[in-house]
Amino acid sequence: PAPGMESLPEAVLIRILASIPAVDLVLVCRLVCCQWKNLVDGAALWILKCQQEGLTRAESDAENWQSFYFLSKKRKNLIKNPCGEEDMEHWGEVENGGDGWKIEELPGDFGKDFPSEEVHKYFVTSYEWCRKAQVIDLKAEGYWEELMDTTQPKIMVRDWYAGRSDAGCLYELCVKLLSENEDVLAEYKSETITIPQENDANWTEISHTFSSYGPGVRFVRFEHGGQDTLFWKGWYGVRVTNSSVTVEP
């Protein structure tokens, strides 16, 4: 009989396997035989796939190359409608204090342009507390339980806020990592940030990274909001836009 693939040098077999889609490697090729299972579970195959697709990482971080590959390919902003392009779509648990939330075009009255040209709109609050939240289902987004429990990839949270230069305002951010039963496993809550009435209206980024948060995380609950400090009718409160939650490789 003609020699089969098992007779190929391991380096050649790795190059052949590297041409196969990653999901098929894990769900199909890994089950063929012990040799293929060891190759799919090993680092060399995934290092090659990362090189082929331009995915780079520091050697000091080189622990699980398979997880790094999948997380890099999946990396995206998990917050839907972060800049108000779809009105209030995807935002729940909305608190409409004063005249409630409003969406405006950048830069807005007494405002500044956003640092990125890709952002065109923002949400703005009123003279009593306005809050809105979004809950991200990690499993529905493709982050399977074993990955979240074992690898525990870093979860990066970012938000941008600004005041208008003629009005003072308050801003808060609260993000929780939740279990299947929505128990709080980790939490980040900013201080209540005060922007004075005479301010430069520049946009400010706030961020937090969750790491080593333990097994069981299934949801991320993102909530932010604020109000003005002058109690003027209308929309003189804090402005927010370009919110993001990403699972980092």
Side-chain angles (χ1 to χ4, degrees):
M5 287 187 70
E6 67 275 2
S7 64
L8 290 172
E10 191 169 278
V12 175
L13 186 52
I14 285 174
R15 289 203 164 271
I16 293 171
L17 290 174
S19 66
I20 296 171
V23 173
D24 293 333
L25 285 173
V26 174
L27 298 182
V28 180
C29 298
R30 191 172 177 275
L31 306 180
V32 170
C33 63
C34 287
Q35 182 191 23
W36 285 30
K37 178 182 182 297
N38 291 335
L39 291 178
V40 173
D41 289 347
L45 171 59
W46 297 100
I47 291 173
L48 180 56
K49 282 190 77 67
C50 287
Q51 290 172 344
Q52 289 174 341
E53 299 185 37
L55 306 175
T56 58
R57 71 190 298 195
E59 287 301 319
S60 59
D61 297 333
E63 291 182 14
N64 190 325
W65 282 90
Q66 184 184 128
S67 293
F68 172 78
Y69 176 87
F70 278 106
L71 288 168
S72 297
K73 298 292 283 187
K74 280 185 169 298
R75 190 179 185 277
K76 65 174 183 176
N77 185 5
L78 300 176
I79 292 283
K80 296 178 173 63
N81 186 28
C83 305
E85 296 290 348
E86 302 171 71
D87 197 49
M88 295 294 289
E89 192 73 21
H90 304 296
W91 292 97
E93 303 178 59
V94 177
E95 181 180 341
N96 279 309
D99 288 321
W101 286 97
K102 186 183 180 186
I103 293 152
E104 296 180 344
E105 297 272 348
L106 280 156
D109 293 340
F110 295 89
K112 293 279 183 69
D113 282 320
F114 192 76
S116 167
E117 293 181 359
E118 297 174 1
V119 179
H120 306 289
K121 295 183 178 182
Y122 58 83
F123 302 90
V124 58
T125 59
S126 191
Y127 59 87
E128 291 178 351
W129 270 98
C130 296
R131 289 185 176 88
K132 59 187 177 70
Q134 201 168 131
V135 177
I136 297 161
D137 183 336
L138 293 169
K139 193 172 180 181
E141 295 290 346
Y143 298 97
W144 58 98
E145 294 179 0
E146 183 185 0
L147 177 74
M148 298 308 302
D149 294 347
T150 305
T151 304
Q152 293 178 33
K154 292 179 180 178
I155 299 174
M156 172 73 82
V157 178
R158 294 185 178 91
D159 200 19
W160 288 82
Y161 65 90
R164 43 184 288 163
S165 60
D166 63 340
C169 60
L170 305 175
Y171 166 83
E172 285 183 1
L173 171 66
C174 180
V175 185
K176 298 176 181 178
L177 305 186
L178 307 177
S179 70
E180 191 73 44
N181 299 322
E182 300 193 6
D183 298 319
V184 178
L185 302 180
E187 180 177 6
Y188 167 75
K189 187 169 185 179
S190 74
E191 60 182 349
T192 300
I193 296 168
T194 302
I195 299 175
Q197 183 172 0
E198 299 295 329
N199 70 86
D200 56 16
N202 284 333
W203 287 92
T204 300
E205 184 184 39
I206 184 171
S207 66
H208 177 75
T209 301
F210 291 98
S211 61
S212 303
Y213 40 76
V217 171
R218 300 293 179 263
F219 301 95
V220 180
R221 185 182 184 278
F222 179 104
E223 179 188 293
H224 62 179
Q227 67 171 86
D228 78 25
T229 53
L230 302 171
F231 302 98
W232 288 349
K233 184 170 176 58
W235 295 274
Y236 293 84
V238 73
R239 300 165 171 186
V240 293
T241 195
N242 205 38
S243 312
S244 67
V245 172
T246 53
V247 179
E248 298 292 315

